[in-house]
Amino acid sequence: MVNAKTRPHGDHFNTIRPGMHKYIEWLGGPERLAQLQVLMDNAEQQLPACPFCGAPTVLRGRWMYASSGVQAECSQCHCGTQPLFQEKTVLNRYYSLEEQIERTVKAWSRREEATA
Ligand SMILES: [Zn+2]
């Protein structure tokens, strides 16, 4: 059962513990990590419910090899956006995590209008 008070939360890089210096530095240090987590908490609130099953959507921080990424994912059926690990801008640089959060919210919120 899901209601507003028990809305699920995604992993906003919460599994990175203070002792994990390598990963904290990799994300830009403890202050930036805390800022990212606030951004992710706020962005998660903006995500519309899953279009398939209606369950709340969570924002998940992901990391793999030398890349960190952000993904919107349904808390029930686990459909989601493509994590933005390796996507490059036209200027051939990687999106910052802040940009990934913004783009992920936009991607998940986009809905095609039904046509007659
Ligand atoms: Zn769903």
Side-chain angles (χ1 to χ4, degrees):
M1 297 294 282
V2 173
N3 64 42
K5 284 185 176 156
T6 59
R7 189 190 194 290
H9 293 283
D11 177 0
H12 298 171
F13 299 108
N14 308 102
T15 51
I16 299 178
R17 297 294 174 216
M20 300 166 75
H21 299 295
K22 178 180 153 194
Y23 298 104
I24 294 172
E25 292 311 315
W26 182 37
L27 284 169
E31 282 179 26
R32 178 153 188 265
L33 175 59
Q35 289 167 356
L36 283 168
Q37 288 173 332
V38 170
L39 272 180
M40 291 179 80
D41 288 346
N42 292 336
E44 190 170 69
Q45 303 299 318
Q46 299 171 32
L47 293 171
C50 175
F52 303 110
C53 75
T57 307
V58 299
L59 201 57
R60 283 183 67 186
R62 307 286 300 271
W63 61 88
M64 183 185 288
Y65 304 109
S67 275
S68 47
V70 174
Q71 178 182 31
E73 187 183 78
C74 173
S75 59
Q76 290 294 312
C77 72
H78 302 292
C79 66
T81 60
Q82 204 64 279
L84 294 176
F85 286 123
Q86 301 289 347
E87 192 177 353
K88 286 183 176 179
T89 68
V90 289
L91 298 174
N92 205 34
R93 66 178 179 86
Y94 292 105
Y95 287 116
S96 70
L97 278 165
E98 288 84 351
E99 289 168 319
Q100 290 180 29
I101 292 166
E102 189 183 327
R103 291 175 64 87
T104 297
V105 171
K106 276 188 188 155
W108 183 259
S109 305
R110 191 176 59 229
R111 296 284 184 271
E112 297 295 330
E113 293 298 322
T115 52

mmCIF file of all heavy atoms in Angstrom, residues 50 53 74 77 79, ligand 1:
data_model
loop_
_atom_site.group_PDB
_atom_site.id
_atom_site.type_symbol
_atom_site.label_atom_id
_atom_site.label_comp_id
_atom_site.label_asym_id
_atom_site.label_seq_id
_atom_site.Cartn_x
_atom_site.Cartn_y
_atom_site.Cartn_z
ATOM 1 N N CYS A 50 3.927 6.550 -12.326
ATOM 2 C CA CYS A 50 4.204 5.648 -13.448
ATOM 3 C C CYS A 50 3.020 5.624 -14.417
ATOM 4 O O CYS A 50 1.881 5.441 -13.999
ATOM 5 C CB CYS A 50 4.456 4.252 -12.899
ATOM 6 S SG CYS A 50 4.666 2.999 -14.183
ATOM 7 N N CYS A 53 1.533 1.638 -14.310
ATOM 8 C CA CYS A 53 0.854 1.034 -13.165
ATOM 9 C C CYS A 53 0.367 2.073 -12.146
ATOM 10 O O CYS A 53 -0.321 1.711 -11.199
ATOM 11 C CB CYS A 53 1.761 0.002 -12.496
ATOM 12 S SG CYS A 53 3.090 0.720 -11.513
ATOM 13 N N CYS A 74 10.024 3.487 -11.765
ATOM 14 C CA CYS A 74 8.786 3.173 -11.059
ATOM 15 C C CYS A 74 9.112 2.316 -9.835
ATOM 16 O O CYS A 74 9.894 1.373 -9.919
ATOM 17 C CB CYS A 74 7.835 2.426 -11.992
ATOM 18 S SG CYS A 74 6.367 1.827 -11.122
ATOM 19 N N CYS A 77 6.807 -1.365 -10.784
ATOM 20 C CA CYS A 77 7.086 -2.232 -11.940
ATOM 21 C C CYS A 77 8.489 -2.011 -12.495
ATOM 22 O O CYS A 77 8.911 -2.731 -13.397
ATOM 23 C CB CYS A 77 6.017 -2.078 -13.024
ATOM 24 S SG CYS A 77 6.058 -0.531 -13.937
ATOM 25 N N CYS A 79 9.859 0.041 -14.438
ATOM 26 C CA CYS A 79 10.180 0.635 -15.732
ATOM 27 C C CYS A 79 10.824 1.992 -15.424
ATOM 28 O O CYS A 79 10.621 2.552 -14.351
ATOM 29 C CB CYS A 79 8.934 0.796 -16.598
ATOM 30 S SG CYS A 79 7.756 1.974 -15.939
HETATM 31 ZN ZN ZN B 1 4.972 1.179 -12.822
#
